[in-house]
Amino acid sequence: MKTKMKLFFTFLFLTASYAVSAQKTNITFKELPAPAQNFIITNFKGQSTSYIIKDKDIMSIDYKAMLSGGTKIEFDKKGNWKEIDGNKNVIPNSVLPKGISDYISKNYKNQKVEKIDKETEYFKAGYKVTLLNDLELKFDKNGKFSRIDD
C-alpha cells in the first residue's frame, strides 16, 4: 500500500511540475526569432500579426503566429516554420519546396495549397500538403511525391 501511495504522489508531483513549467505567453513581432520575422515579411506581404504566442514547456519552445489574413504559422525555437495553415486561404507558392510546387502545378492545375506540415519524425520525415479541395498529398523530405493520404 505504501508503494502505491508513493507512486501516486510521485506521479502527482511530476504532473504538477510539468503543468507549472508549461508557459504560453503573448509576445510581439520583434520577439520572434529573426528567421520567423523574415519568413512572414517575405511571404505574407501586407499582412500583420493578429497575435503571437510563445509556447514553452520542459522540452521545447514553439511560436504560433496568427496573421491578419487568417493564416496560422507555427515555428520552432529557431524560427523555422513547422506548419502553415491558410484556413481556407491560399498559401503562397514561395513557401513551398520547389518539388512540391512543381508537382502540384503540373498534376493539379486548378488547385492551390491551403495547408502544409513538415513531418520531422525519422521514419516519416517529409511534408503533408492539403489542397483547397481537401485532398491531402504526402511528399518525402526532398519534395518528391509519395502518395495521396486518406
Side-chain angles (χ1 to χ4, degrees):
M1 185 67 160
K2 287 183 181 182
T3 303
K4 286 183 182 179
M5 289 298 282
K6 285 181 183 178
L7 286 173
F8 172 75
F9 283 113
T10 301
F11 174 75
L12 188 62
F13 174 75
L14 290 174
T15 303
S17 296
Y18 178 77
V20 168
S21 68
Q23 298 175 354
K24 291 185 179 189
T25 51
N26 288 321
I27 62 170
T28 66
F29 183 77
K30 291 185 179 192
E31 292 173 285
L32 270 175
Q37 291 179 35
N38 292 334
F39 181 83
I40 292 170
I41 291 167
T42 302
N43 297 293
F44 295 91
K45 291 176 177 59
Q47 292 191 49
S48 60
T49 52
S50 298
Y51 65 81
I52 303 170
I53 296 173
K54 181 178 183 180
D55 189 0
K56 182 179 178 182
D57 64 23
I58 292 173
M59 301 298 285
S60 67
I61 296 174
D62 291 326
Y63 298 91
K64 295 172 176 71
M66 172 65 88
L67 304 183
S68 57
T71 298
K72 290 182 192 175
I73 308 172
E74 186 173 333
F75 298 97
D76 65 17
K77 67 181 177 183
K78 294 180 181 177
N80 301 308
W81 70 267
K82 294 170 39 174
E83 178 180 324
I84 307 168
D85 186 350
N87 287 312
K88 299 295 179 191
N89 295 310
V90 174
I91 292 174
N93 279 342
S94 60
V95 304
L96 303 175
K98 184 166 176 23
I100 293 174
S101 178
D102 290 348
Y103 181 85
I104 291 171
S105 63
K106 180 180 176 187
N107 295 286
Y108 298 94
K109 291 181 172 105
N110 296 321
Q111 282 299 313
K112 299 292 182 187
V113 175
E114 173 197 355
K115 183 176 182 180
I116 184 168
D117 294 309
K118 279 186 191 172
E119 297 176 335
T120 56
E121 293 178 28
Y122 182 74
F123 290 108
K124 63 178 205 177
Y127 300 89
K128 181 177 178 181
V129 173
T130 305
L131 302 179
L132 282 171
N133 66 358
D134 292 327
L135 184 66
E136 294 180 348
L137 308 173
K138 297 280 243 172
F139 296 85
D140 69 14
K141 63 184 177 184
N142 299 314
K144 183 178 176 195
F145 177 73
S146 175
R147 63 185 168 88
I148 294 175
D149 201 21
D150 294 343

